[in-house]
Amino acid sequence: MTLPGKTEIEAAAELVYGAFPATPQRVWPLLAERAGTEAWVKHENHTPIGAFKIRGGLTYMAQCEADGMVTATRGNHGQSVAYAARQAGKRVTVVVPEGNSREKNAAMRAFGADLVVHGHDFQDAFEQAHLLADAEGLHFLPSFHPALVAGVATYSYELLSAAPHLDTLYVPIGLGSGICGAIAAREALGLSTEIVGVVARKAPCYALSFEAGRAVSTNSADTMADGMACRTPDDSALSLILEHAARIVAVEDEEIEAAMRHYFTDTHNVIEGAGAAPLAALLKEREGMAGKAVGLVASGGNIDIEVYRRVLAGE
């Protein structure tokens, strides 16, 4: 896959801004003090679905002619697709695994999606979505696609345009659209910012693949950070990450949960597990990042209340 260029990203931004304005990027004093560096937070938890994925859904739907679609998700991609499909007057079926976030499921239904529950994890849901596409003649809407990357690249384009001096940008990795969008934005703006991917230690397929230089799947991805719960990397995404990313940092679930608490105490923002993982990675690398300007992608804020209550209590 070829990275979207400046023209494509700016065209995607026009589509995005037809639905909502650019999200803020802020330096929070308490968070900067904790991290020991100038830390810019990109607040993708402030979009109409509470996550960055909406940007890709809008750009994909604008170029998709199919009326009936099916996709798989752990939640934010599904909300994005459901939101964009409703805007376009189309129907979409979303397949989620068993035990998926109840609140994300409710949000997808509220946006108009037909929900199907199948399998243990995202990979199982992904495979079932393909089967439904074949059986019912539906268009399969992937979680990684050039149009999705062009759309989500707009948040990094906003951040790096506002703070072009950033030395490093930490981006969570689910299937890879966010980090590939960050790479595309950096290249389009001609900057030298290091792009660092972040994965959960319990869902390490991209970290293992980066180390091996080839795709490495895992048998499980049972992390509390459902937005990063991937066990099979996308080949196109991995190719771009191998070529352009500086490194991938793996963080423990306990470190992610601590970062979620830090976000609440230091900024009073609710940030879900995947969105807090970049802060967890920065704190893990705190000594080496001292004195640098760092970007953190708070990719979303969609977390079930009972899970968040447990995280805040440190249980």
Side-chain angles (χ1 to χ4, degrees), residues 35-38 167 286-294:
T37 188
E38 178 187 337
D167 296 296
R286 187 180 192 278
E287 184 176 342
M289 301 306 292
K292 295 185 177 181
V294 176

Short mmCIF file of all heavy atoms in Angstrom, two decimals, residues 35-38 167 286-294:
data_model
loop_
_atom_site.label_atom_id
_atom_site.label_comp_id
_atom_site.label_asym_id
_atom_site.label_seq_id
_atom_site.Cartn_x
_atom_site.Cartn_y
_atom_site.Cartn_z
N ALA A 35 5.56 13.15 33.37
CA ALA A 35 6.36 12.53 32.32
C ALA A 35 7.78 13.10 32.24
O ALA A 35 8.65 12.50 31.62
CB ALA A 35 5.66 12.71 30.98
N GLY A 36 8.00 14.27 32.85
CA GLY A 36 9.32 14.88 32.79
C GLY A 36 9.67 15.41 31.42
O GLY A 36 10.85 15.50 31.06
N THR A 37 8.65 15.78 30.65
CA THR A 37 8.89 16.27 29.30
C THR A 37 7.69 17.10 28.83
O THR A 37 6.63 17.10 29.46
CB THR A 37 9.12 15.09 28.33
OG1 THR A 37 9.53 15.59 27.06
CG2 THR A 37 7.85 14.26 28.15
N GLU A 38 7.85 17.82 27.76
CA GLU A 38 6.74 18.54 27.13
C GLU A 38 5.87 17.52 26.41
O GLU A 38 6.27 16.96 25.39
CB GLU A 38 7.30 19.57 26.14
CG GLU A 38 6.24 20.35 25.39
CD GLU A 38 6.87 21.21 24.30
OE1 GLU A 38 8.06 21.56 24.39
OE2 GLU A 38 6.14 21.54 23.34
N ASP A 167 9.55 15.73 18.92
CA ASP A 167 10.62 14.77 18.65
C ASP A 167 10.07 13.37 18.42
O ASP A 167 10.59 12.62 17.59
CB ASP A 167 11.60 14.74 19.85
CG ASP A 167 12.30 16.05 20.06
OD1 ASP A 167 13.07 16.46 19.17
OD2 ASP A 167 12.08 16.69 21.11
N ARG A 286 10.61 7.05 30.25
CA ARG A 286 10.71 8.41 30.80
C ARG A 286 12.15 8.93 30.83
O ARG A 286 12.42 10.06 30.43
CB ARG A 286 10.13 8.43 32.21
CG ARG A 286 10.01 9.81 32.85
CD ARG A 286 9.41 9.71 34.24
NE ARG A 286 9.02 11.00 34.78
CZ ARG A 286 9.87 11.85 35.37
NH1 ARG A 286 11.15 11.54 35.49
NH2 ARG A 286 9.43 13.01 35.84
N GLU A 287 13.06 8.13 31.30
CA GLU A 287 14.44 8.58 31.44
C GLU A 287 15.04 8.99 30.10
O GLU A 287 15.69 10.04 29.98
CB GLU A 287 15.28 7.47 32.08
CG GLU A 287 16.72 7.88 32.37
CD GLU A 287 17.49 6.80 33.09
OE1 GLU A 287 16.86 5.88 33.67
OE2 GLU A 287 18.75 6.86 33.08
N GLY A 288 14.81 8.19 29.07
CA GLY A 288 15.37 8.49 27.75
C GLY A 288 14.68 9.62 27.03
O GLY A 288 15.23 10.18 26.08
N MET A 289 13.47 9.98 27.47
CA MET A 289 12.71 11.04 26.79
C MET A 289 12.80 12.38 27.50
O MET A 289 12.20 13.36 27.06
CB MET A 289 11.24 10.62 26.69
CG MET A 289 11.00 9.32 25.93
SD MET A 289 11.74 9.31 24.28
CE MET A 289 10.70 10.52 23.47
N ALA A 290 13.54 12.46 28.57
CA ALA A 290 13.65 13.70 29.35
C ALA A 290 14.09 14.87 28.47
O ALA A 290 15.04 14.76 27.70
CB ALA A 290 14.64 13.51 30.49
N GLY A 291 13.37 15.97 28.59
CA GLY A 291 13.72 17.18 27.86
C GLY A 291 13.23 17.23 26.43
O GLY A 291 13.42 18.24 25.75
N LYS A 292 12.60 16.16 25.94
CA LYS A 292 12.12 16.14 24.56
C LYS A 292 10.66 16.58 24.50
O LYS A 292 9.95 16.62 25.50
CB LYS A 292 12.27 14.73 23.98
CG LYS A 292 13.72 14.27 23.84
CD LYS A 292 13.80 12.93 23.14
CE LYS A 292 15.26 12.52 22.96
NZ LYS A 292 15.36 11.20 22.25
N ALA A 293 10.23 16.92 23.30
CA ALA A 293 8.82 17.25 23.06
C ALA A 293 8.15 16.00 22.50
O ALA A 293 8.61 15.44 21.50
CB ALA A 293 8.70 18.41 22.08
N VAL A 294 7.07 15.58 23.15
CA VAL A 294 6.47 14.28 22.85
C VAL A 294 4.98 14.44 22.58
O VAL A 294 4.29 15.22 23.25
CB VAL A 294 6.68 13.30 24.03
CG1 VAL A 294 5.98 11.97 23.77
CG2 VAL A 294 8.17 13.09 24.26
#
